[in-house]
Amino acid sequence: MPDWSPSDYLRFTDERSRPFAELLARVPGTPRSVLDLGCGPGHLAAMLRRRWPGADVVGLDASPAMIDAARTADPDGRYVLGDLRDLAAGRPPTGVPSRPDLVISNATLQWVPDHRDLLPALAGLARETFAFSVPGNQDAPSHRLLREVAARGSYADAVGPVPRRAVGDPADYLEILAGPGRAVDAWETTYTHVLPGEDPVLRWISATGAQPVLQALEAHDADHGTTLREQFDAEYGAALRRAYPRQPYGTPLAFRRVFVVVTTG
């Protein structure tokens, strides 16, 4: 992927932030240092500071656009450009604390190939607590339709296979992370977000899960003078409207999340 769009991501700030607030509520203690993996545009740093006013909070993200947006919106914060895979491999980017009390991540690990293999190392970085949430909606209509439409005709030629991201269930993460001296709290929640406006599910997923497909189509259009992105939006948007019919009060979107909190000691 070329990069993310912070402005698109922040269209549904309240809905995207709610799981993070509920994850924080289950983190015990008073950490003095916090590392936020996949911090995005920095919009969640304020929640960390409100919960633990005295903590040193550092955000890490692999997206230059997201880090630039975070530094602009929160000039007093600390944000580092880097890949969490390097961190798990023992190569922490400059500016990242070596043993933070809390390592936390919101809706990031699902983007990392074979992220489950990295979890023991990431948990081992935390002096006290490792906490994360990942979307568990890979089989929801929004994602199934994304894969189905992208596999059609000229879209498939431009995009290639769209993977089903292998996010685990709570029991999977419990099995990976449980061990002597560790307590693992793993659970799931399905939210029913009510989204406003026209084609809100398309706007929602276009900023996150559909980004690799859309960027591949845009690159093809730029190289070949085609209009695949526009055609895809129309075809995929129509399929989403059928799957998520608009109601008088808005468009309901069921969104499943998986949460894990690992404490040591």
Side-chain angles (χ1 to χ4, degrees), residues 54-187:
D56 177 28
V57 177
V58 177
L60 177 74
D61 206 287
S63 163
M66 288 294 197
I67 289 295
D68 287 346
R71 290 170 175 168
T72 299
D74 183 20
D76 295 328
R78 293 175 57 198
Y79 298 98
V80 176
L81 179 66
D83 194 318
L84 64 83
R85 290 172 292 188
D86 291 333
L87 193 64
R91 301 186 299 270
T94 302
V96 171
S98 58
R99 287 297 307 280
D101 292 334
L102 168 63
V103 176
I104 194 164
S105 180
N106 181 63
T108 295
L109 294 174
Q110 77 277 5
W111 290 105
V112 180
D114 301 318
H115 74 276
R116 283 183 271 198
D117 295 338
L118 305 181
L119 293 177
L122 294 176
L125 294 172
R127 192 182 303 275
E128 297 174 358
T129 307
F130 174 49
F132 67 90
S133 76
V134 287
N137 60 340
Q138 61 270 19
D139 293 321
S142 56
H143 288 61
R144 285 192 287 102
L145 289 169
L146 176 67
R147 296 191 292 267
E148 290 174 10
V149 176
R152 297 172 185 168
S154 53
Y155 305 141
D157 295 336
V159 173
V162 178
R164 176 187 178 277
R165 301 192 178 276
V167 174
D169 291 327
D172 298 324
Y173 293 123
L174 172 64
E175 183 68 22
I176 293 169
L177 290 166
R182 284 182 178 172
V184 180
D185 182 10
W187 73 99

Side-chain angles (χ1 to χ4, degrees), residues 9-22:
Y9 183 82
L10 292 172
R11 280 178 178 167
F12 299 98
T13 303
D14 290 345
E15 291 86 354
R16 297 195 195 283
S17 301
R18 181 176 170 185
F20 191 70
E22 296 183 10

